[in-house]
Amino acid sequence: TVSTTTSGPSSPKPTASTTVSPPPLSTSPVTVTTSGVTETGLTAKTTTSGPPPSGTPPHSTSIVTEIGSSVTTTGSRTTLTRSTAVTPTATSGPSSLESTTSTAVSLPSVSTSPVSFTTSGTTPTESFTTTSGTTSRNFTTITETTTTTPPSEIVSPSSTSTSGPTATSSAPGESWWLCNCTKVICIEDNIVQVVPIICNPPPKPTCANGLSPVQVIDEDGCCWHWECDCYCTGWGDPHYMTFDGLYYSYQGNCTYVLVEEIYKKVDNFGVYIDNYHCDTQDVVSCPRTLIVRHETQEVRIATVKPNTLQVEVTVNKQAVALPYEKFGLSIYESGINRVVEIPELKMNVTYNGLSFSIRMPYSLFGNNTHGQCGTCNNNTADDCMLPNGNIAENCETMADHWQVVDPSKPQCSPGLIPTKAPSTTPMQPCKESSICELLLGSVFEPCHGFVRPEKYYAACVFDSCVLPNLDLECSSLQIYAATCADQSVCIDWRSHTNGVCSYKCPSDKEYRACGPIKEITCKSSQQNETSTKQVEGCFCPNGTMLYDSGVDVCVKTCGCVGVDNIPREFGEEFTVDCQDCICLEGGNGIVCKPHQCAKQSKTSCDGEGFYEVNEVNSEDSCCPIVTCKCNTSLCTAKAPKCTLGFEVHSHIPSGQCCPVYQCVPKRVCVHQNAEFLPNSSVFVDKCQNCFCTNEVNVSTQLNIISCEHIPCNIHCEPGYERQPVKGECCGRCVQTKCVIHTADNSDLILSPGEFKNDPYNNCTIYSCVNIHNQFISSTSEITCPAFNEESCKPGTITFLPNGCCKTCAPLDSHTPCSVHQREDFIVYKGCRSVDRVVMTECEGTCGTFSLYSAEANSMEHSCSCCRESRTVVKEVELKCPTGHSISHKYIYVESCSCQDTECSTSQSSELKSTEENDRMSTLNRIKRAISLTSK
């Protein structure tokens, strides 16, 4: 216990230090003058008496200080010795107007020497150390080495444990931490200065990026100061906001550096963006993949479907499930975003397919970043820095210089300078989308005081004009809302877009514009989440919570969730994947064992075509039922090939698998490899009308075809007969005989080769001959020689054998060879002369004999024929049945004579053609019939 006496007039300024000398013995109380200092770990009791300040009478103050609370250090425990003494003091005079800020304490280093402590308001520069979350307070131990008084102990920074009395000396100027942001400085001669850290809140600065500064704890761990975090965003097609808040748009379609360190402190660190042309005319670009590299890992968050919030995450080109944590890097879902967090660097990167953001602490990355996100130094003047350190005139030009080598984009060449700066304004003026006006309206008004909306509005107008059909303006509202949420201002904006920017959640979740950055789960503690920042996304409905960050299932009570993603309560038994499981509290939660199936009777599948098969049991899907199934492909019998008019019928006898085949009639007619249904017409030939009947031929089992001949109304004239003709039904009338019209207008029918006299005139002879299917009829008139009845003896007049000519009989003399005339019709090829034509012929007797010659010893023949000796050719006109006329030439004999000829007729016969022989034979028959003989 320290008793303090203060006297003297009131001081207009705070007392810098007060020295109090205690009694010389170690058992004497220590007198300390102190004011305005309250130290953690010390208990101070102050009693004030006397008049108040500013003219009040002097007062006395009694301060009781207890030193000796237990302080825990890493691996040791130190107990400070309690030394108490009470000294009453008297106070006279007015008190000080202001609090004293320092105290000098004299304590004995030996049995009779005091030690002085001096406390001032100076802020120390040494850091306050922490280990494994347990505060280690460093003290300097000064032990009093007397035999009468127990030593007072103070822990030194270099000591981790104290055991028994020890002596430690400190050089003047040396300092160490006492406890709870209190520093001790060695003055001299065992006098120390106790310096408590007094934190005065610094003024709040203005950040160039327009965001609120953040409080950062000083290195000593006692006070804090303001810093402007490095915060870079990108969205749309695409628009960028650098770390210092400079806005620009860039339409490159390569892979670029967003941020890298200027001076490399972290191994293989950087953030990159892969852009692609997202319009049909390759005018504007959109982000496709965000790449984060840290030491041995490369994280890629890629858009699954263009212009959507669907992304997939890979680490070192391998797909990973979220949450993912390895080698000082973690990846997790936060609302609609995927977040890559590196706790060692106190940074995080978010991406959702339409926009990205990068947050980095100024204390680690200030003045040490370059890339398309610029230099983080709270100054926009150098944000457009090129890789060589120069400053481009605009960031659109700068952005193209930050290409990186990407094997998937051979058209991109890092280092090339663009020919002209890309255009960032619409080529033609247009009316912006009404959605963009929401940024400036009442919906976002609560955020206007924290984040200015003008740059986001400009980006929204650009997107709605250049790509009006992609709804990219939603990304400007989304990134602005996300930036507002980062400033702890939540805006529910999607419901005001008339469905254009709506976000659909799974059926088991609900959309919230303001949800926790990390959703509370059954596996996490609710007390750990103290952040006021929020994000939009799909969250579990009220009354439920997420089971685990890696198990996306909402549960009402925290039990178990297995591979089937079905919530289970503790003690619940269930079957999954043919495992009998139970949900238990503790351990892994779900304990399973193989499912036990009931015994089944043995099933034998005998018979052709049968085989065993396992079927799902409707009562127990894990225990299949063995049944017999029929597979006809295993049958050996094959279906026969039936003849026309028959078809294969099969049936499976009861209890069998394989079918029995047979050919059965189809009840049809068959004709010429074709089948005909009953009552249908059947074409046999065109001369018959046929149809298929319902009558069945018992022997063939086929239906009978009934036919009727087509009626023929054909009548043939005399001399013609109906004969069948191929291709005709009724045939045709074909001439088979000669039809001769006689003088009395009657018709005479003669067969080929037949001769007949006119019934009324024996001097007219009719004949018929068929030459090459041409029926030629001829009419011969017998011309009688001149006959004088008076030259005949009475009673000797008789008719010649022809029955036409008269003669005297008997005739004793032969008629000499001479020309004889006759009149007759000439018929040639069916054509006939109009009138009778005078024709001549040679007739008469010539000498003919056959004598034996003894000299030649053979018969000698002498033949002489009555033949023409002079002839002329005459013409006559013939009329044809068709009505036309032709000119015909014939031979007219002018004179006849007996001429020698060979007696043999074989040679002459061979020389004649078949046609001449027929003609001559006919003429000879006519001649014989006429028998103009002189006999």
Side-chain angles (χ1 to χ4, degrees):
T1 303
V2 180
S3 180
T4 304
T5 301
T6 304
S7 62
S10 175
S11 174
K13 295 183 180 180
T15 303
S17 64
T18 304
T19 303
V20 180
S21 299
L25 297 178
S26 61
T27 58
S28 302
V30 179
T31 302
V32 179
T33 300
T34 178
S35 64
V37 178
T38 302
E39 181 62 28
T40 304
L42 303 178
T43 302
K45 293 176 64 179
T46 304
T47 303
T48 304
S49 62
S54 302
T56 59
H59 65 279
S60 63
T61 303
S62 178
I63 299 177
V64 179
T65 303
E66 292 183 2
I67 303 177
S69 61
S70 298
V71 179
T72 302
T73 63
T74 304
S76 66
R77 183 181 181 90
T78 301
T79 303
L80 300 181
T81 303
R82 178 175 299 174
S83 175
T84 61
V86 179
T87 303
T89 60
T91 303
S92 63
S95 63
S96 174
L97 293 178
E98 296 184 14
S99 300
T100 303
T101 59
S102 64
T103 302
V105 182
S106 297
L107 295 176
S109 61
V110 291
S111 60
T112 58
S113 300
V115 179
S116 298
F117 290 83
T118 303
T119 303
S120 67
T122 306
T123 301
T125 58
E126 293 186 8
S127 61
F128 183 73
T129 60
T130 59
T131 305
S132 302
T134 302
T135 303
S136 298
R137 296 169 183 165
N138 300 332
F139 302 92
T140 300
T141 301
I142 303 176
T143 305
E144 184 179 4
T145 57
T146 63
T147 59
T148 59
T149 302
S152 176
E153 300 178 12
I154 302 178
V155 181
S156 169
S158 61
S159 65
T160 59
S161 63
T162 304
S163 178
T166 59
T168 303
S169 62
S170 299
E174 186 178 347
S175 63
W176 61 92
W177 289 102
L178 183 62
C179 61
N180 288 345
C181 297
T182 301
K183 193 172 186 178
V184 179
I185 304 174
C186 178
I187 304 300
E188 60 181 352
D189 296 334
N190 291 328
I191 298 176
V192 296
Q193 184 180 23
V194 180
V195 183
I197 303 299
I198 299 176
C199 298
N200 293 319
K204 191 174 183 178
T206 299
C207 297
N209 56 18
L211 304 180
S212 299
V214 295
Q215 295 181 1
V216 180
I217 301 298
D218 293 341
E219 292 182 359
D220 57 21
C222 295
C223 299
W224 56 270
H225 61 277
W226 295 104
E227 285 185 4
C228 294
D229 269 354
C230 308
Y231 189 71
C232 175
T233 57
W235 71 95
D237 55 355
H239 311 286
Y240 293 89
M241 196 82 76
T242 65
F243 286 132
D244 296 332
L246 182 62
Y247 167 77
Y248 70 96
S249 297
Y250 176 65
Q251 312 303 333
N253 67 327
C254 297
T255 303
Y256 304 92
V257 176
L258 287 177
V259 58
E260 283 183 347
E261 290 184 301
I262 300 175
Y263 308 103
K264 309 299 181 184
K265 297 179 181 179
V266 182
D267 184 30
N268 189 31
F269 170 75
V271 184
Y272 310 88
I273 189 73
D274 171 16
N275 290 339
Y276 75 105
H277 284 314
C278 54
D279 67 323
T280 56
Q281 299 178 352
D282 293 346
V283 175
V284 296
S285 300
C286 297
R288 176 165 54 189
T289 305
L290 193 74
I291 306 165
V292 180
R293 291 177 182 168
H294 178 246
E295 296 180 349
T296 62
Q297 300 184 94
E298 180 183 272
V299 180
R300 285 179 173 262
I301 309 176
T303 304
V304 175
K305 185 179 179 181
N307 303 324
T308 65
L309 297 175
Q310 302 176 23
V311 297
E312 62 181 6
V313 182
T314 60
V315 177
N316 295 339
K317 300 182 180 180
Q318 296 292 327
V320 296
L322 302 185
Y324 170 91
E325 187 170 353
K326 191 175 183 181
F327 299 147
L329 180 145
S330 64
I331 312 170
Y332 58 89
E333 294 185 27
S334 178
I336 63 174
N337 301 312
R338 303 299 183 274
V339 181
V340 181
E341 196 171 85
I342 306 175
E344 178 188 3
L345 303 180
K346 301 177 184 178
M347 71 164 290
N348 63 63
V349 180
T350 66
Y351 182 62
N352 56 32
L354 293 179
S355 62
F356 68 86
S357 67
I358 304 171
R359 178 178 290 278
M360 306 166 70
Y362 180 86
S363 58
L364 296 180
F365 293 94
N367 291 298
N368 195 30
T369 64
H370 60 182
Q372 289 187 341
C373 279
T375 304
C376 178
N377 58 2
N378 208 30
N379 181 8
T380 59
D382 56 358
D383 278 359
C384 302
M385 181 185 293
L386 301 175
N388 59 10
N390 295 333
I391 307 299
E393 67 176 273
N394 57 63
C395 287
E396 288 83 358
T397 303
M398 170 273 291
D400 202 68
H401 287 75
W402 288 105
Q403 292 185 32
V404 296
V405 176
D406 189 344
S408 66
K409 295 185 174 182
Q411 77 277 7
C412 298
S413 300
L416 285 183
I417 300 175
T419 56
K420 63 178 181 179
S423 174
T424 59
T425 58
M427 299 181 65
Q428 297 179 353
C430 74
K431 179 175 175 58
E432 68 273 11
S433 171
S434 60
I435 294 178
C436 299
E437 298 176 356
L438 295 175
L439 288 167
L440 305 178
S442 59
V443 175
F444 286 94
E445 186 176 2
C447 185
H448 291 172
F450 296 88
V451 182
R452 297 305 303 165
E454 286 78 10
K455 297 173 182 178
Y456 301 92
Y457 175 77
C460 182
V461 171
F462 178 84
D463 291 344
S464 66
C465 291
V466 177
L467 297 173
N469 298 323
L470 293 183
D471 297 333
L472 273 182
E473 57 266 31
C474 295
S475 63
S476 295
L477 277 70
Q478 185 267 320
I479 191 65
Y480 182 65
T483 306
C484 293
D486 185 75
Q487 300 298 303
S488 302
V489 179
C490 185
I491 305 294
D492 187 359
W493 61 276
R494 291 190 184 270
S495 58
H496 298 274
T497 62
N498 295 325
V500 177
C501 303
S502 61
Y503 187 75
K504 187 176 181 181
C505 291
S507 59
D508 60 333
K509 292 194 175 185
E510 62 183 17
Y511 171 80
R512 292 184 204 161
C514 309
I517 291 179
K518 287 189 177 180
E519 195 170 0
I520 297 173
T521 70
C522 292
K523 305 296 184 181
S524 65
S525 173
Q526 300 185 17
Q527 285 76 23
N528 290 341
E529 192 59 51
T530 59
S531 174
T532 60
K533 297 179 181 179
Q534 294 177 309
V535 294
E536 68 168 329
C538 298
F539 301 92
C540 290
N542 291 330
T544 64
M545 69 170 58
L546 195 65
Y547 179 75
D548 196 2
S549 57
V551 182
D552 193 16
V553 178
C554 298
V555 297
K556 292 183 179 179
T557 59
C558 291
C560 305
V561 174
V563 294
D564 56 354
N565 283 341
I566 298 177
R568 313 284 182 179
E569 295 185 359
F570 292 126
E572 181 179 349
E573 295 182 357
F574 57 96
T575 300
V576 60
D577 290 342
C578 296
Q579 298 274 320
D580 292 333
C581 304
I582 184 171
C583 174
L584 298 177
E585 188 171 2
N588 293 328
I590 297 178
V591 178
C592 299
K593 61 182 179 180
H595 181 67
Q596 295 294 328
C597 295
K599 291 186 178 180
Q600 298 182 15
S601 59
K602 179 65 176 178
T603 303
S604 178
C605 297
D606 297 328
E608 186 181 13
F610 286 110
Y611 68 99
E612 292 185 2
V613 65
N614 292 330
E615 286 189 343
V616 176
N617 187 349
S618 59
E619 298 179 356
D620 190 349
S621 60
C622 293
C623 299
I625 301 174
V626 179
T627 60
C628 295
K629 288 291 184 180
C630 173
N631 185 359
T632 56
S633 64
L634 302 176
C635 299
T636 56
K638 303 298 180 184
K641 186 176 182 181
C642 298
T643 58
L644 210 61
F646 292 83
E647 62 184 353
V648 177
H649 273 202
S650 64
H651 72 280
I652 300 176
S654 177
Q656 296 185 15
C657 171
C658 296
V660 176
Y661 302 100
Q662 60 180 352
C663 292
V664 297
K666 299 171 66 175
R667 300 306 179 199
V668 295
C669 298
V670 175
H671 177 69
Q672 292 185 348
N673 294 326
E675 295 179 346
F676 299 89
L677 295 174
N679 300 320
S680 62
S681 178
V682 180
F683 180 80
V684 176
D685 58 54
K686 67 179 183 178
C687 301
Q688 298 185 85
N689 290 327
C690 302
F691 67 96
C692 181
T693 67
N694 287 309
E695 298 181 17
V696 179
N697 189 320
V698 178
S699 60
T700 63
Q701 294 296 308
L702 299 175
N703 287 24
I704 298 174
I705 298 175
S706 176
C707 296
E708 294 181 357
H709 201 284
I710 296 176
C712 297
N713 298 321
I714 297 179
H715 176 71
C716 294
E717 296 291 333
Y720 290 81
E721 293 181 1
R722 192 175 72 181
Q723 293 183 355
V725 177
K726 187 176 182 180
E728 296 185 12
C729 297
C730 297
R732 66 177 65 172
C733 291
V734 178
Q735 186 178 5
T736 58
K737 296 178 181 180
C738 294
V739 179
I740 301 174
H741 299 282
T742 61
D744 59 351
N745 293 326
S746 62
D747 292 332
L748 187 64
I749 307 300
L750 295 179
S751 298
E754 184 181 359
F755 298 90
K756 185 176 287 187
N757 288 11
D758 190 311
Y760 305 101
N761 183 5
N762 282 338
C763 293
T764 301
I765 300 176
Y766 301 102
S767 64
C768 178
V769 63
N770 183 1
I771 301 177
H772 297 303
N773 293 325
Q774 292 288 330
F775 290 90
I776 302 175
S777 61
S778 61
T779 303
S780 301
E781 296 288 341
I782 298 175
T783 303
C784 296
F787 175 70
N788 188 359
E789 293 183 355
E790 296 178 355
S791 63
C792 293
K793 293 180 180 181
T796 60
I797 298 173
T798 183
F799 283 95
L800 291 173
N802 55 25
C804 171
C805 298
K806 296 180 179 179
T807 185
C808 298
L811 297 176
D812 296 331
S813 61
H814 298 283
T815 301
C817 177
S818 61
V819 176
H820 293 270
Q821 292 183 345
R822 63 183 178 88
E823 292 182 356
D824 200 355
F825 292 98
I826 294 179
V827 179
Y828 179 73
K829 291 185 177 182
C831 300
R832 176 175 173 173
S833 59
V834 180
D835 300 319
R836 294 179 184 270
V837 180
V838 176
M839 294 183 290
T840 59
E841 56 188 17
C842 293
E843 267 191 350
T845 304
C846 293
T848 299
F849 64 86
S850 176
L851 299 175
Y852 173 78
S853 173
E855 182 179 357
N857 193 24
S858 64
M859 294 296 290
E860 291 184 358
H861 304 279
S862 175
C863 296
S864 179
C865 296
C866 183
R867 301 181 60 178
E868 67 277 7
S869 59
R870 187 172 67 251
T871 60
V872 295
V873 177
K874 291 188 177 183
E875 274 190 23
V876 66
E877 185 178 8
L878 304 181
K879 267 299 191 192
C880 298
T882 58
H884 70 281
S885 302
I886 62 173
S887 178
H888 179 68
K889 293 180 181 181
Y890 69 96
I891 299 173
Y892 184 84
V893 179
E894 291 185 343
S895 63
C896 300
S897 63
C898 291
Q899 298 179 15
D900 292 338
T901 183
E902 296 292 334
C903 292
S904 174
T905 61
S906 60
Q907 292 181 351
S908 63
S909 297
E910 291 175 357
L911 295 176
K912 295 178 182 178
S913 64
T914 304
E915 185 176 346
E916 285 186 50
N917 289 338
D918 293 341
R919 187 179 292 108
M920 293 300 294
S921 175
T922 301
L923 293 176
N924 289 335
R925 287 196 298 273
I926 295 173
K927 289 179 181 180
R928 284 195 301 273
I930 296 176
S931 297
L932 295 177
T933 177
S934 59
K935 292 181 180 180

